[in-house]
Amino acid sequence: GAGPAAARETWELIEADDGDPRLAADLLRKLLGDESRLQVYGPDHPITLLHRRHYARFVGEAGDPQQAVRLLRDLEIDTKRLLGTRHPELLATRSGVARFTGAAGRFDQAARMYERLIHECERYLGADHQLTLAARNGHARFLGKSGEYAQAAELFELVVIDRIRVLGSAHPCTLNSRNGHANFVGLA
């Protein structure tokens, strides 16, 4: 049954939350290759797609953003084929591609990717959806890292306003945006 696979999934996410992305990536790599998991979910199951996205994320967080982008690009093709162009999982995968493109030092490209993603997220999920707000945050961050400090500060200010309204002032995502705003105000 799904018991052992679910237990392994829970364990790998706990490891990730404890701050060990290398271990989390290794656990997910093993989980993705586990024959019993494949018998339960199969390669095209949405949970398999989710595991693949988390695996790519932890590969990137462990220090290999270029490999994370490759993994996410492959996943993007499969997710689009299986879930369609409007599915939040596809948009989350595209967000990961933009994030790790930026982490690989391609700030301008990441900012453009996030800008396109904002429009997709707003269209399919709405302006207040977490993915939309995260895309706006990523866009501002990589514009700032590209040297557009004043524009990044302005965009962060708007994200902060919306995140306070949607999530509250003490939510970790709101605090992250406030930090970005302060950093780029200081550089502008």
Side-chain angles (χ1 to χ4, degrees):
R8 283 190 298 278
E9 176 184 351
T10 300
W11 175 252
E12 59 87 12
L13 291 175
I14 289 169
E15 285 299 319
D17 286 342
D18 283 345
D20 192 343
R22 288 185 204 286
L23 179 57
D26 186 52
L27 291 168
L28 271 164
R29 182 183 50 73
K30 290 175 184 172
L31 178 62
L32 285 165
D34 186 323
E35 195 60 39
S36 66
R37 191 203 58 77
L38 287 173
Q39 290 172 0
V40 173
Y41 297 124
D44 292 343
H45 193 283
I47 290 177
T48 301
L49 299 176
L50 179 65
H51 287 166
R52 287 174 60 193
R53 184 165 58 84
H54 285 300
Y55 172 62
R57 171 187 152 204
F58 295 127
V59 165
E61 288 179 1
D64 195 348
Q66 292 175 340
Q67 177 63 10
V69 168
R70 284 189 291 274
L71 292 166
L72 288 163
R73 286 286 189 200
D74 290 343
L75 177 60
E76 184 177 11
I77 292 165
D78 292 340
T79 303
K80 185 176 179 180
R81 174 178 55 84
L82 295 165
L83 302 177
T85 58
R86 299 177 180 191
H87 198 281
E89 188 62 28
L90 177 65
L91 300 174
T93 300
R94 288 182 176 158
S95 181
V97 172
R99 173 186 176 193
F100 289 111
T101 296
R106 298 187 306 274
F107 305 137
D108 290 335
Q109 184 180 358
R112 287 190 305 274
M113 294 168 96
Y114 271 121
E115 187 172 26
R116 284 190 303 272
L117 184 61
I118 291 166
H119 297 295
E120 287 183 278
C121 289
E122 286 176 342
R123 181 175 181 191
Y124 300 130
L125 305 174
D128 291 341
H129 193 279
Q130 278 276 55
L131 282 172
T132 307
L133 296 171
R136 290 175 54 203
N137 192 81
H139 180 234
R141 178 172 42 147
F142 287 113
L143 271 177
K145 287 186 174 229
S146 297
E148 301 293 333
Y149 304 138
Q151 187 179 4
E154 290 172 19
L155 292 175
F156 266 121
E157 183 176 20
L158 297 173
V159 174
V160 168
I161 290 167
D162 287 338
R163 280 188 158 169
I164 288 172
R165 181 178 50 78
V166 174
L167 303 171
S169 61
H171 191 280
C173 292
T174 304
L175 297 173
N176 176 281
S177 294
R178 289 176 63 195
N179 181 58
H181 179 240
N183 285 334
F184 288 112
V185 164
L187 293 170

